[in-house]
Amino acid sequence: MRVMAINSTGLQPDQGAGGEPNGSHAPLPSDVAEALSSVSLRCVECWSRYAGIEAGRSPRYRCDCGGVLDVEMAFSFPWHSSQGAQGLEASDDSPTTGSLSHDQAASVGADLRQLFGERVANPPIWPISTDLLLDCSGVWRYRELILPAPEQYVVTRPEGNTGLYPVGIENCGSGRAGHQQIGAFAGLERFFLKHEGENPSGSFKDRGMTVGTTMALMLGAKAVACASTGNTSASLASYAAQAGIRGIVFLPAGNVAGGKLAQSLAYGAQIVQIEGDFDDAMRLVEQVCNEQGIYLLNSLNPFRVEGQKAIGFEILQQLDWQAPDWLVLPAGNLGNTSAIGKAFRQAYELSLIDHLPRIASIQAAGANPFYRSFKQGFTRRESVHAETVATAIKIGDPVSYTRARRVIEESDGVVEEVSDAEILEAKAVIDRAGIGCEPASAATLAGVRKLVARGIMKHDERVVGVLTGNLLKDSKTGIPQEVGGSVVAANIDAVRSALTR
Ligand code: F0G
């Protein structure tokens, strides 16, 4: 077997990931080395480029200048005659399509639409081949645009395949009169909600985590870790358990919703509660991962962002590749804004869609550094001490600032802020429509309502909003806790009388 010398677990000599044996310079399997040879990492600040995996070095999460990194891939479409098995070399001008002519890109786009359509048509029936299992995942279905991972390493539930609910005044039929209340609240005729809370661990994080954990196995890592406001940790704990590796999560003590904490505990992750906020936990987990050779699975890890792109691809496919006018989502650490923006740009460059949707990132007013920067034309990077009821997005110094700023600029997007009261009001509307979501997700609807009221979003534009987490994640915030006088004696008269009240 041809091997490439690499520090596959990222362990420094004489150090171990929680007592694991030293994996320094362990050989990287030839199939992994070959798969990653088409991948490089580009600094979003100074544009330096690095190999996807550097021989003899721990996994890299930052450029030498400190900037975060973005994955660039030479896409390979072996079935495409004009490209051959060589695929498309990334160029500085267009990392996605390199030197493709307009006609070639159109032809690649048509082939991809057909391929993804065939894959989505495969029902999951057991026994199932690995190939079909990948097709059933709403992430790996788009694998040519995500990560060239050898199948044996892929850790998938499978994830994705989440609902896209028509909730606008016009695009909502009478069978969904309850859902229509959402469109009426927003003031939109054609409005869809993409419910990422329907992922296996109940949030959009599973899309990045399936790819991050797969990378961990490809690199031979024995332990993975993240800092989290709760959802990333629940997802990491679940995928680490599935992969049979150690999961460690750093949480801001007292600031994680009960459902999320319960998940990390139940899935068996080691929990480190930090007396501080998410930003403290983030700083510490990065340091300890680099010191101890633990594979870092925050969205600082550029491969996680690649997985999250699948939200964008899946939305486009569900809309039959008719791109919406707007995509709206809640924003905290800004990984998701970066990922969905990148997906749309790649889909556009590959002629999968004919225009770029505008992106609106919505922040809680008490955790609004990105909004503050946007208001100043992005001339300054701001940070704040974060405070909001939406604990998932209680983040004051987002890691993916530069990546997300580019997305807003490139897509002619906007950043909006909403108060806690506005978030809770919107959450009640989503909950009472029978869809439900966790508080941070409701920032999407609160933001849409505000942007429509301000005339930035037109009432007849096609808008997709992302709900990022499941209602059950947080059973306390914004949900009436009083069951009320519903306990009645166990006889029919008492029941009749209760119903007349
Ligand atoms: N919505 C929910 C439910 C989240 O959990 C998060 C982030 C976001 C929105 C914001 O996404 O960070 O990509 O801008 N949660 C992270 C976590 C920070 O640790 O679970 P982002």
Side-chain angles (χ1 to χ4, degrees), residues 409-449:
E409 287 172 344
E410 273 177 17
S411 75
D412 188 24
V414 297
V415 185
E416 185 55 274
E417 66 170 359
V418 289
S419 68
D420 281 358
E422 288 168 325
I423 288 174
L424 293 178
E425 186 189 9
K427 175 176 154 57
V429 172
I430 296 165
D431 289 353
R432 290 301 297 270
I435 291 180
C437 66
E438 71 161 280
S441 306
T444 291
L445 179 60
V448 167
R449 180 174 159 94

Side-chain angles (χ1 to χ4, degrees), residues 134-295:
L134 295 188
D135 291 353
C136 290
S137 162
V139 173
W140 297 101
R141 178 176 307 136
Y142 311 102
R143 50 194 173 272
E144 286 79 5
L145 310 181
I146 303 276
L147 182 74
E151 281 169 27
Q152 76 204 72
Y153 300 97
V154 174
V155 187
T156 176
R157 290 288 293 268
E159 45 292 304
N161 303 306
T162 58
L164 182 69
Y165 297 99
V167 294
I169 298 164
E170 185 207 292
N171 69 346
C172 209
S174 59
R176 291 187 298 267
H179 292 187
Q180 202 174 33
Q181 297 307 311
I182 297 175
F185 180 80
L188 284 175
E189 304 292 332
R190 294 179 298 159
F191 186 25
F192 296 86
L193 285 178
K194 174 71 170 165
H195 206 329
E196 286 294 292
E198 295 172 354
N199 271 290
S201 84
S203 85
F204 72 102
K205 302 291 182 179
D206 293 342
R207 296 195 185 248
M209 206 52 75
T210 178
V211 175
T213 318
T214 296
M215 269 302 284
L217 289 197
M218 286 167 71
L219 300 179
K222 301 285 184 287
V224 291
C226 70
S228 179
T229 54
N231 280 326
T232 304
S233 48
S235 184
L236 177 146
S238 166
Y239 280 81
Q242 180 178 347
I245 55 178
R246 183 175 165 205
I248 311 164
V249 301
F250 287 57
L251 305 178
N255 271 297
V256 174
K260 305 175 189 180
L261 193 56
Q263 285 181 290
S264 290
L265 283 165
Y267 297 138
Q270 180 179 352
I271 296 181
V272 182
Q273 297 203 67
I274 303 290
E275 276 180 9
D277 57 17
F278 169 84
D279 303 293
D280 294 319
M282 187 63 235
R283 180 174 45 80
L284 290 164
V285 77
E286 185 180 353
Q287 191 177 339
V288 86
C289 281
N290 283 325
E291 274 173 23
Q292 299 204 10
I294 300 164
Y295 193 55

Side-chain angles (χ1 to χ4, degrees), residues 395-415:
I395 295 172
D397 191 13
V399 161
S400 290
Y401 168 80
T402 305
R403 290 196 276 227
R405 191 196 74 211
R406 292 229 170 89
V407 164
I408 298 297
E409 287 172 344
E410 273 177 17
S411 75
D412 188 24
V414 297
V415 185

